[in-house]
Amino acid sequence: MAMTDDVRANAPAMLASGVVLGLVVFLIAAVWSSFTIIQPGNVGVVFNRWSGALKTVGQGAAWRVPWITQVQSYPVALRTYTMVQRSAEGSAQGDDSIDLPTKEGQHIRQDISVTYNTSHERAGDVFRSFRGADIADIERTFVRRTIITVSQNAAGQMSLTELISDQRGALQTHIQDDLLNEMNKMGFVVDKVNLGASHLPDIIEKQLQQKMAAQQQAQQAEYELQRQQTLAKAKVAEAEGDAQSTLVKAKAQAEANRLLQESLTPLLIQNKAIDRWNGSLPQFTGGGAVPFLNLKELGAGDAHAGGGR
């Protein structure tokens, strides 16, 4: 009985102690919840639920009134959202590359990464656009859907060959411009879009390999044809050169013969014959009916000359 009376006597004190402890815990929780830490590279948006007022604050501790104000942070430093096929990379696990349709109705999977951020001035717009949602939630919904939609719309205007070869740069620029416009409406700024690897279905991969092999064979055949044509032209040029050389030689010989004929006068022929005569020639010598040298006349002339002396 005495113990029971003691408990009853101490009950008010114990109750008072519990109330005090509860108040202390409540105050600690209230004070703790009154601060939000804005991490470096982010800007904080403080929203008053009663008045609807917004203000932005920099990194550090942001004061708020529990249950009355809300504080949310958004990146002012560049942030990258990546969608790739390899499961160990990217913002989501597994094959997270984008399915892109082509103008012909074929499909490929494309790796892509988008670098973006907001600014101190536009952070309030981001908060309003997404009703204070966290940046991770915004990426899983708006950013992801916008990247996919913009990329598919841009790719659908191009052929498969253009997507994976000569128009790849144009596709990246097209996606970047359209994505910048769409995300800017919600308060974000797109810094850069990068297209990574393109992943083709096996059947398309084989078709492209066969096409490339055929093109290489055609190029080799064209090269061989050009080589043969070059060799043929070289032989023709060589033959033409030989013919021209022969013609020039013939013309030169003909001209020499003509000049020689013109220079062979009867007197010159006689002088040459006399120079070569060895004294045993016949009485008349010469190449025609009229002798160019009459030895008898020469002898008679010498006799008359001697008798006269």
Side-chain angles (χ1 to χ4, degrees), residues 248-266:
V248 170
K249 290 179 180 178
K251 289 182 177 179
Q253 186 62 47
E255 181 65 16
N257 292 338
R258 184 185 66 79
L259 295 175
L260 182 60
Q261 290 295 332
E262 291 178 354
S263 63
L264 291 177
T265 62

Side-chain angles (χ1 to χ4, degrees), residues 239-256:
E240 290 178 349
D242 292 342
Q244 185 68 21
S245 176
T246 302
L247 180 60
V248 170
K249 290 179 180 178
K251 289 182 177 179
Q253 186 62 47
E255 181 65 16

